[in-house]
Amino acid sequence: MSGEVEAVAAPGPGFVAGVAVSSWVVASPAGDIAWLLIGHPPPRRHGETARTIEAGLRALAAGMRLLPAAERVPDVGDRLMVRGPVVALDYGHDEYLLRLPAPGREWRDHVGRGGVVCVTVVLDPLGPATGWEAGREAVDAHLRRSAAAGRVLMGATRARHRGGLD
């Protein structure tokens, strides 16, 4: 892939309400890395198909200028807004933000100190055997398989220190 991201409209709140989001922090020799994983379960609502879900996830990723995991992880600017325990992600929509479901204190502290967050969008569906409820090892294996197939998009972001949540 060339690294070019096609300009498409970011999905609205109807699609974003159906995404699954998880956040955690991993210690590494280079320092702590915070992760924000965004995926979607298989089709379950009227009108959803695997194709429409993937198109929505790709549009979400394009709105943040994420690139395939096999490429260098781009800095996508300061996209996180934090106000107390509430954290929201600017995913490129003109009117809406994606509110994160209760990121842990360690994650929020990392972000509050100016730490980098790796935003990761996985295009392959998150089902019972591969989603959050399956446990960390199953999620890690799913991510590795999806990344090897070119179906994970990533970018590095941080908290905005001005503006906050509107």
Side-chain angles (χ1 to χ4, degrees):
M1 239 176 172
S2 68
E4 294 291 321
V5 177
E6 181 182 334
V8 295
F15 178 80
V16 172
V19 300
V21 179
S22 184
S23 56
W24 67 93
V25 177
V26 175
S28 79
D32 291 346
I33 300 171
W35 292 85
L36 178 59
L37 179 63
I38 302 170
H40 203 291
R44 64 183 193 268
R45 297 187 292 184
H46 180 70
E48 279 185 336
T49 66
R51 179 176 273 158
T52 62
I53 289 171
E54 182 170 336
L57 289 170
R58 286 188 180 279
L60 187 98
M64 293 184 281
R65 300 185 330 269
L66 305 183
L67 294 178
E71 298 183 23
R72 183 184 166 125
V73 176
D75 183 320
V76 297
D78 300 346
R79 294 189 166 274
L80 295 167
M81 288 156 274
V82 181
R83 184 166 288 159
V86 177
V87 181
L89 174 68
D90 175 355
Y91 66 94
H93 195 281
D94 291 340
E95 297 180 49
Y96 301 104
L97 302 171
L98 169 59
R99 183 174 174 175
L100 308 187
R105 181 171 201 79
E106 180 184 20
W107 194 93
R108 287 190 329 269
D109 289 348
H110 173 84
V111 170
R113 290 189 303 271
V116 173
V117 174
C118 187
V119 178
T120 306
V121 173
V122 61
L123 300 174
D124 291 328
L126 299 168
T130 58
W132 286 242
E133 64 277 3
R136 176 57 85 32
E137 288 180 18
V139 171
D140 287 346
H142 181 63
L143 279 172
R144 281 192 301 277
R145 282 189 308 273
S146 296
R151 298 189 50 80
V152 174
L153 303 161
M154 301 174 77
T157 190
R158 286 159 303 288
R160 291 179 180 167
H161 293 288
R162 290 181 271 172
L165 295 171
D166 295 325

